[in-house]
Amino acid sequence: FKMATTEELVKLSTDELEREVVIARREYAEMKARLSQRSFRHVLMSRPNAGAGAAVDTTTSSHLEDVAARAANSSKRRRVLDIHVAYRLAGHTIFPVAPHESGIRFETSCFGEYHEQYYVFVKFDEDNAPKLHRHTLPPFVPIGRLRSLLTSGLKPFMLAVSNHLNSFVGRREQLRKIQHDFSAALVGEARCSPAVDYVAFSLRDPRPDHAGSTLQVKLLYEKLDSMLPTRVVAKSIANSDDDDDDGEGNTDADPPLSGARDRLSERLLKSKPLADALAAAFGKP
């Protein structure tokens, strides 16, 4: 079983899943009808002396119809379970809460693993239009702007929220990955904002033509629904002993980077997610 990528999870069409629900309901109805007819024929065949006008044992017929309904329900449950799995791969699941309220569970994933879940609850007015009721989304998700998408239905809203959540988790996990994979090369601690839309770190440059240098990197993600930075500054410092980047402070306290701009690293860091970019630039550690 191959886990879908984050982009594939988000792009999976909700329309296809809704069609699966319709198919499941139709198959359930057809199976129930077939099993009921088979049960009725079985009752008639089990009474060889019954004439054309003889009464059918309604107790036996009712029992067999109950067996048929349970079998059809079992098949329906299996089908619905498959649909639930597909919805989870798509990144969101809708479930009823009250007669006029539904919940949406958003799954997040990165590197083939599931991470935390978030919830949004919507209420439906007399025209069946969804309205945001409450949520557990992180404060940096622009819910005030995204809630306007509900006027076009649930699908655009769910896709936008899922994009923001999975991009946040993706940026965070990419940073954790470089902290693990490049731990021996990192100088001090990597820093980031709560939304991981700002990242700063320094590492000893492993490239032969940069021996003895330290690469200082700052990344800014102005699009919170993306794993790619919009602005990158990467500078090579010849003497790492003079590096004042000790891993403390925040974005406001960070001093401007000195040294020569590393344009090649900047282009690479803007074109790929962080861990992939460093692996491409320096090789997998």
Side-chain angles (χ1 to χ4, degrees), residues 57-217:
D57 186 344
T58 56
T59 302
T60 303
S61 177
S62 175
H63 172 71
L64 291 175
E65 287 183 359
D66 182 59
V67 171
R70 286 201 300 269
N73 277 327
S74 177
S75 174
K76 180 184 179 183
R77 282 195 297 270
R78 287 194 298 270
R79 184 79 175 186
V80 169
L81 179 61
D82 291 340
I83 294 172
H84 173 74
V85 171
Y87 267 109
R88 191 175 190 202
L89 289 175
H92 39 70
T93 307
I94 303 175
F95 56 92
V97 176
H100 299 287
E101 182 179 354
S102 293
I104 308 170
R105 180 174 62 244
F106 291 92
E107 307 276 356
T108 60
S109 64
C110 187
F111 298 126
E113 295 183 357
Y114 285 112
H115 292 277
E116 61 265 45
Q117 299 174 339
Y118 296 94
Y119 292 85
V120 170
F121 298 89
V122 295
K123 286 189 173 182
F124 297 88
D125 59 21
E126 296 178 352
D127 298 324
N128 207 31
K131 303 291 183 182
L132 182 66
H133 178 46
R134 50 199 170 100
H135 65 83
T136 66
L137 302 179
F140 46 78
V141 172
I143 192 64
R145 175 169 58 84
L146 298 182
R147 71 192 306 166
S148 64
L149 297 173
L150 286 170
T151 58
S152 301
L154 285 177
K155 183 178 177 180
F157 172 78
M158 290 190 300
L159 289 176
V161 171
S162 186
N163 267 326
H164 280 77
L165 293 175
N166 279 284
S167 295
F168 157 65
V169 170
R171 294 192 300 269
R172 184 191 67 197
E173 296 306 311
Q174 290 277 338
L175 179 58
R176 287 178 176 174
K177 184 172 176 60
I178 71 161
Q179 288 175 311
H180 175 270
D181 292 352
F182 293 90
S183 59
L186 283 173
V187 179
E189 293 290 333
R191 302 188 301 280
C192 70
S193 61
V196 200
D197 57 345
Y198 169 83
V199 175
F201 61 90
S202 300
L203 76 164
R204 297 179 183 87
D205 199 327
R207 293 172 292 186
D209 55 341
H210 289 74
S213 298
T214 297
L215 185 68
Q216 293 186 333
V217 176

